[in-house]
Amino acid sequence: MHPYGPGHFWYRSGCYGPSRILWFAFGAIAASLWTRHQGRVEWHSHSNCVRPPVLSTQAEPVDPWSAHGVSRAVNGIAPETMSSDDKRRLAELGTLAGDKLVELSEATLDTVLTTVEVLKAKLAEHRAEREKQQEEERRRKENPPRIV
């Protein structure tokens, strides 16, 4: 058992000095030198763990989006091979989706406006109630009850 308590051994009254900063700087310098050394030596080329890079023999794709896995095809049909009926149906679906989106946004705005009107009415009611209580307080202060 320690005479000054169990945690006294680790407590140094806050005077750690610059040693923490120096050790941090030393570690940062060592890490940066190590990474620069690894970049120059390329020791991975001597191990059997890493596969050599595979050179691509394919030509670049014509459509830049297809390189990222994005296709412009709708339901598996490219836009160039779509018939006029498919294009018309796609335009109708786009219009229908736009109309539904407009209806949804209008309904949302109506709900928000109704909520605001209700809150405004509640606020006016509370304000009137507060003014009434303040008026009663003012009357009581002007005409205090007389105790005879």
Side-chain angles (χ1 to χ4, degrees):
M1 190 128 191
H2 295 288
Y4 301 110
H8 179 72
F9 178 77
W10 298 107
Y11 183 70
R12 293 177 55 187
S13 71
C15 60
Y16 294 107
S19 64
R20 288 186 176 183
I21 295 172
L22 289 176
W23 280 111
F24 177 76
F26 176 72
I29 291 170
S32 62
L33 289 176
W34 185 78
T35 55
R36 292 181 91 199
H37 174 72
Q38 294 301 331
R40 274 188 265 127
V41 172
E42 296 182 15
W43 60 279
H44 289 290
S45 62
H46 302 296
S47 68
N48 293 329
C49 297
V50 180
R51 284 180 32 183
V54 177
L55 299 176
S56 176
T57 59
Q58 297 177 349
E60 288 292 320
V62 176
D63 187 15
W65 290 104
S66 64
H68 301 289
V70 178
S71 176
R72 292 189 304 157
V74 177
N75 292 334
I77 303 170
E80 294 82 22
T81 61
M82 291 176 86
S83 66
S84 61
D85 291 337
D86 290 336
K87 289 181 182 179
R88 183 182 48 79
R89 261 191 286 144
L90 189 61
E92 288 176 4
L93 283 175
T95 305
L96 191 66
D99 292 343
K100 291 291 182 182
L101 185 64
V102 167
E103 289 176 15
L104 183 65
S105 62
E106 285 177 357
T108 304
L109 286 175
D110 288 341
T111 305
V112 167
L113 286 175
T114 304
T115 305
V116 167
E117 289 174 358
V118 167
L119 289 175
K120 190 175 178 181
K122 274 187 177 181
L123 185 64
E125 183 181 321
H126 285 291
R127 183 179 297 140
E129 203 173 293
R130 187 182 69 230
E131 288 174 356
K132 184 178 176 184
Q133 287 177 354
Q134 287 175 349
E135 183 67 27
E136 289 176 7
E137 280 292 319
R138 187 183 58 80
R139 280 193 213 146
R140 270 194 224 136
K141 286 182 181 178
E142 288 176 356
N143 301 324
R146 293 186 176 192
I147 300 175
V148 181

